[in-house]
Amino acid sequence: MLKKLCIGILSFCLVFSVAGCSDDLLSEDSETEQSSETTKLENGLSITVDKDSGDMSISRPKAAGDTHMGDEDVWTIFVYMCGSDLESESGLASNDLDEMLSVDKSDAVRFVVQTGGSSSWENKNVNRDESQRFLIQNKKMTELTSSDDVDMGESSSLTDFLSWGVENYASEHMGVIFWNHGGGSISGVCYDENHDDDQLTLREIDAGLLSVYEDMTDNFEFIGFDACLMATVETANICASYADYMYASEEEEPGQGWNYEDIGNYIADHKDTSAKDLGVNVCDSLKEENANTQDANIVTLSVTDLSKINTLIENFNTFAQNMYKAAQDSSTLSSLVKEIEEADAFGSNSFWEGYTNMIDLKGMVEGCSDEAKGAKKVLSSLEDAVVYKVSGSTHKSAGGLALYYPITVNDSSELSVFSDICVSPYYCSFVDMQNHGSVFSMIGSLTAGDSDDYEYSDDYYSCELYDDGSYDCDYSDDYWYDDDNMWEMCCQYAYDELSDSYECDTTQDDYWNYCNDYEVDGESQLITFSSDPAIDSDGYYSFVLDENGLKNTANVYAEVYAEEEDDNICLGQTWDVSGDWDSGEFIDGFDGYWLSLPDGQNLNTEIVDWGDDYITYSTPILLNGDQTNLRITQYDNDDVYVEGIWDGVSDNGSSSRKVTQLEDGDVINILYDCESSDDYYYGDDYVVDGELTIDYNCLYEGDYYYNFVIEDVYGNFYTSDYVILYSDGNGETYLYEN
């Protein structure tokens, strides 16, 4: 099945997300056996793969000419401004239009803007029912065209704007900015709230840019994303065929976004600036503007030299090949998963806030370097590609580009999109291995003990699961060659004469549907013990994993419950657990303290991020009757910082750009999970009066319930039985068998 995965699903030319794919696939010599195979695409891009080693090399075409397309010493910045709720609720797009209008008078800089995608606008020049284009230059905003409203989430709308813009406002220096929400590699950018939040996927951006690029004689100098979570390897891979640099953020962007007045004034004063230096200014101005705000800790922005992306991808593919091979040993897979989940993550990856599944590439590669060769080359080429970056204190080690990794998968469509944009077939196979393992873990949990052993197999690999929870798997070594047709495609770019643009015709098969049947059940049979969880002779709650359990364990934490009326309510997660990953011995380290509101109500804490000296929690709350999340960060010295209110990831995949601050009179109700029902328990009203402080105090006197949660490497978990935890209210706790 592995060859099926990487042929029929990966569609390797699509792995590189380049347009103009064709069934007319070429090899160097079809008559003789070759050690390498080359595919040439319609637009001239070539990908060569060595059949023996799996190494790849990429060659991208450049624009047709070597002359600039328009006015010398002029920067034209095309802004695709999809206002969405950022405008209708907060006027943020109008604020940025005002910033463009505030730029010093200069013929060297002009913003050409298309507006749309918002149900209302604060700027009096913009009509919600129309698609409008404006020229902003020399402190004037001039309407150039208007038409009926269009869906800003359609690639044809992007094509139409840029084709028109390049034809009428070409200049020596040109850049493109996507303005809106971002959701990362899977969800894309520019969510149009007038059209059911339709958005531009990476594939649609690729198609739109191709349609424009065919008539260009020069690259765009930069493509920028004034949006969250778009500084990814997958995004850079798309942009590398059309631009010299990419400006984007790994993390959520602050609500106000980029400082367009500062950007414009920099160009006005440095009309001969390079795209790299302009990117440095964009980064520095964003960080400076947020230096004294609640967003200072999370700010990230990077400048990527897209001419270096080929080398980065080639090196990552080799590293991913080694990672995939190493992961066929389940104990090594456990180590890899633990290290990946320790890497810096962006957006949200939690039950209450949702999942963006974006992981820092540098952190992933560094973490896995002991198990997979080739890390140094990846890290060196990443440092080469990311020529400048800024980051706040919670992302001080971030490398500048993120990568999709499915911490939790919503459904098969997410993995189908991933397979269509993944930059390495070996990395895609690694992800598939882990997700197939999730299904295997579930099937095993339902069948183990019913018979002497249970065999689970598909075309990808076969496994035998035994009563003791152990299993053996036989993986195929036939990586991704299927006769001489390794470039078989499942998606084509089709040229539409009516719209004069390319559209992606996706014809994915149903391979990834296996994950639709998988639900985390909390009964993983892969977690096995040599000593079951119990209170030991010293009064501690502890357990010892056996060899099988240890190699299949990715993470261990604890939960605390409190009695409330007729049910137990969850106070959340704690890492007060001590463990030895060599011996498999884990013991509770709970100190009886918990985070709480000033009135003593304990928070429902979910761990969403952590670093060497901090843990960030999210608490689900009602704020004035609306459900949202309170984010707080606790440092090693027990200082607690209230970051603010964050809505998390919406149903459409977009990540909120607004971390808002509480105001006097706001009413907070904490939400708690109930143990025996799907209902929530609502805490008492807490009315904000002044700056909110979060206390870290001992639990009130009384009985609580404590259990371990042991996550396996495939995303399922095992929950131990509860023990009774008695708090005397003075910081002393005692454990009893339940």
Side-chain angles (χ1 to χ4, degrees), residues 492-565:
Q492 298 294 318
Y493 276 90
Y495 178 74
D496 182 73
E497 292 185 0
L498 185 62
S499 64
D500 189 28
S501 64
Y502 285 92
E503 296 288 343
C504 180
D505 175 24
T506 301
T507 55
Q508 298 276 5
D509 67 19
D510 60 357
Y511 173 80
W512 296 100
N513 285 352
Y514 70 76
C515 72
N516 291 337
D517 298 325
Y518 172 64
E519 292 183 8
V520 174
D521 59 12
E523 299 179 5
S524 173
Q525 295 296 308
L526 302 181
I527 305 302
T528 50
F529 305 91
S530 61
S531 179
D532 290 336
I535 296 178
D536 61 26
S537 58
D538 295 323
Y540 292 100
Y541 194 29
S542 65
F543 62 87
V544 181
L545 294 166
D546 62 18
E547 181 180 355
N548 175 77
L550 185 58
K551 73 181 181 181
N552 284 297
T553 296
N555 199 6
V556 179
Y557 56 90
E559 293 177 326
V560 174
Y561 285 76
E563 290 183 345
E564 194 66 47
E565 297 180 355

Side-chain angles (χ1 to χ4, degrees), residues 77-80 175-180 189 220-227 230 235 239 243 245-249 253 258 260 282 301-302:
I77 300 178
F78 299 105
V79 184
Y80 194 69
V176 178
I177 295 175
F178 294 90
W179 192 104
N180 186 244
V189 70
F220 291 111
E221 298 223 8
F222 75 87
I223 294 175
F225 294 86
D226 191 356
M230 297 308 294
T235 308
C239 295
Y245 289 86
M246 181 179 80
Y247 314 156
S249 172
E253 270 202 354
W258 296 1
Y260 289 89
V282 175
L301 200 63
S302 60

Side-chain angles (χ1 to χ4, degrees), residues 78 166 174-176 209 212 216 218-222 242-244:
F78 299 105
V166 169
M174 294 186 292
V176 178
L209 290 171
V212 178
M216 294 179 64
D218 196 14
N219 282 359
F220 291 111
E221 298 223 8
F222 75 87
Y242 311 108
D244 296 333

